[in-house]
Amino acid sequence: MKKYSLLLLLPFFSLTAGAQDNFYQINGKADTRYNGALVTLFTFTGDYIRSVDSTYVADGHFSFTGSEYLYEKSVISMGNYPDSVFAAELYLERGPIEVELKQKPVVRSPYITDYRLYADSCRKIERAYAIEGQSQAFYDEGNDRLLSYKYQFKKKYIQNGIGRSLLVNEILYASDPYFYKLYELLPEREKQRYDVQESYKERVRKDKQVQQENKPFPDLTLTNSTGEKQRISDYAGKSELLYLDFWASWCGPCMSQKPHIKELYEKYKDDGFKILGISLDTDTKRWLAAIERTGSVWPELCAASKECEAEIRESYNIVGIPYGVLIDQSGKVIKANCGHWQILKWILEEYYKK
């Protein structure tokens, strides 16, 4: 049985001062109409079931007791398809854990309190710096403060599955300067996990994006709107700045920011700023329809095949789109990973400052 994802609140581990043993005690509740219903507790190792325990609801209550297990999230479930199924994710931390199985399950424990304080603090920091129209320095300050706070929290729990989950889930924060510090703190068995290894590879690829700066851009052969083959070099060097806009018709964020990109193009095109759209689409009909729908006013090239899409991703170390690369007239990459229109706006404002 594969472990499945549940959109429930994730509890987090912290050391409990004065704990006398390492046993958990789950005190569960359910509506009395489910008296006699089977409740099952699953623990996992990776994607596979490690152990199964079960009990029945009696007078609206159920309970489990066992040894603390923090290597992986566990799942409590009640009911079988097509009947109602209630389930909750939790870590089997030592001490009492309260669980209510219902439409929106509730888990209460000391570690839940820790995580709620953490999540609330993150939201407060984000709100404090979510003010439109500020300078990049203002947003950088907020980002640095948030990442520093998250680092302290992750570091506290990095020796178990809870810290690992946070590290893996936030792997795509390319600006996070603490990733490798946290990674080195992971136990060796954690580093060998498939999800950790894959996340590590993604992070390395994100770092390689920055390493492309101040180097010649990778030149590729792609397909234009008439089906002809063209190279990126056919467009590079023809303007003071060339922005490679990597996108796809199936990418919602790419499509939603097209109007903003177009505004920047209109504002700076007379100053030597040009754009070359590069779509990762392999379906050229969908690509052409998207170009027509958005009214693109700059040249567009397309992968047009899975092999070419893979080559684009590999050459530019693309993890996700929208993605952008800014090239100067000599063909040197002056900025990578500037796919969000707001970041591009700041770069152009600074570059064309008068």
Side-chain angles (χ1 to χ4, degrees):
M1 174 179 175
K2 290 283 186 179
K3 184 175 66 177
Y4 48 93
S5 175
L6 298 169
L7 301 178
L8 302 171
L9 181 63
L10 175 66
F12 287 82
F13 168 70
S14 63
L15 293 176
T16 304
Q20 300 301 311
D21 53 50
N22 65 343
F23 287 90
Y24 64 84
Q25 173 64 50
I26 297 176
N27 302 311
K29 293 182 180 180
D31 193 291
T32 54
R33 62 179 167 156
Y34 295 108
N35 284 345
L38 179 68
V39 180
T40 306
L41 172 62
F42 298 94
T43 65
F44 300 89
T45 300
D47 286 335
Y48 299 94
I49 293 176
R50 167 181 172 268
S51 66
V52 179
D53 195 3
S54 62
T55 188
Y56 294 91
V57 178
D59 296 326
H61 294 81
F62 61 89
S63 65
F64 293 95
T65 302
S67 298
E68 180 181 60
Y69 183 67
L70 299 170
Y71 182 63
E72 200 78 59
K73 283 181 290 186
S74 298
V75 175
I76 291 181
S77 66
M78 179 178 71
N80 296 295
Y81 183 84
D83 299 326
S84 296
V85 176
F86 302 134
E89 287 186 337
L90 72 165
Y91 278 96
L92 297 178
E93 59 194 70
R94 65 184 65 186
I97 305 170
E98 295 182 15
V99 176
E100 293 182 41
L101 288 181
K102 51 186 179 180
Q103 196 64 43
K104 292 184 178 180
V106 176
V107 178
R108 299 186 187 91
S109 72
Y111 309 148
I112 284 283
T113 301
D114 281 357
Y115 177 66
R116 284 175 178 161
L117 289 173
Y118 163 77
D120 286 345
S121 296
C122 288
R123 284 191 289 267
K124 286 178 181 178
I125 295 173
E126 291 169 347
R127 284 197 297 266
Y129 289 89
I131 304 174
E132 293 186 7
Q134 299 296 312
S135 66
Q136 185 171 0
F138 176 83
Y139 297 116
D140 287 344
E141 177 186 338
N143 188 58
D144 291 344
R145 184 180 169 194
L146 179 64
L147 291 175
S148 177
Y149 178 76
K150 287 187 172 186
Y151 167 67
Q152 296 301 327
F153 190 83
K154 294 174 190 176
K155 182 180 178 182
K156 186 177 179 181
Y157 310 125
I158 201 63
Q159 293 298 315
N160 55 54
I162 299 155
R164 180 195 67 236
S165 296
L166 278 174
L167 187 67
V168 169
N169 291 342
E170 298 187 352
I171 195 70
L172 295 183
Y173 280 99
S175 59
D176 187 349
Y178 305 107
F179 171 78
Y180 293 107
K181 290 182 180 180
L182 291 167
Y183 175 80
E184 290 304 322
L185 292 175
L186 282 172
E188 284 304 314
R189 71 174 186 177
E190 302 285 286
K191 292 180 181 178
Q192 301 308 313
R193 285 175 56 99
Y194 176 80
D195 56 349
V196 173
Q197 291 185 2
E198 288 301 303
S199 296
Y200 185 87
K201 291 176 184 177
E202 284 193 24
R203 178 53 193 253
V204 169
R205 177 169 286 190
K206 295 283 283 188
D207 291 340
K208 285 182 178 179
Q209 294 172 351
V210 177
Q211 294 168 10
Q212 285 187 315
E213 295 178 358
N214 299 313
K215 297 178 182 178
F217 72 92
D219 197 13
L220 300 173
T221 300
L222 306 169
T223 302
N224 67 14
S225 59
T226 61
E228 299 174 326
K229 297 296 182 180
Q230 287 190 314
R231 297 185 67 81
I232 297 175
S233 55
D234 293 336
Y235 298 89
K238 307 295 193 299
S239 57
E240 186 173 352
L241 290 179
L242 177 66
Y243 179 66
L244 304 183
D245 177 26
F246 295 91
W247 66 286
S249 63
W250 43 260
C251 171
C254 300
M255 303 304 290
S256 65
Q257 74 166 5
K258 285 290 186 183
H260 298 289
I261 300 292
K262 187 178 291 187
E263 287 179 7
L264 294 175
Y265 173 75
E266 295 296 338
K267 182 176 182 179
Y268 293 107
K269 65 180 182 180
D270 293 336
D271 294 320
F273 173 66
K274 304 299 180 185
I275 296 176
L276 174 63
I278 299 178
S279 172
L280 272 60
D281 277 286
T282 57
D283 185 332
T284 55
K285 289 183 179 180
R286 290 188 61 181
W287 167 58
L288 292 172
I291 291 176
E292 184 176 356
R293 187 166 64 252
T294 59
S296 180
V297 293
W298 49 77
E300 293 278 359
L301 300 178
C302 180
S305 71
K306 291 183 178 180
E307 292 76 15
C308 187
E309 179 198 5
E311 185 181 16
I312 294 171
R313 289 183 181 274
E314 182 67 26
S315 299
Y316 283 89
N317 297 293
I318 297 174
V319 176
I321 53 176
Y323 184 70
V325 172
L326 202 58
I327 301 171
D328 68 11
Q329 197 158 14
S330 71
K332 182 177 66 178
V333 175
I334 62 173
K335 186 65 178 178
N337 194 21
C338 51
H340 192 280
W341 72 271
Q342 182 66 69
I343 295 175
L344 180 61
K345 176 176 179 289
W346 289 328
I347 294 171
L348 294 177
E349 286 175 345
E350 182 64 25
Y351 186 89
Y352 289 113
K353 187 181 293 182
K354 298 176 181 177

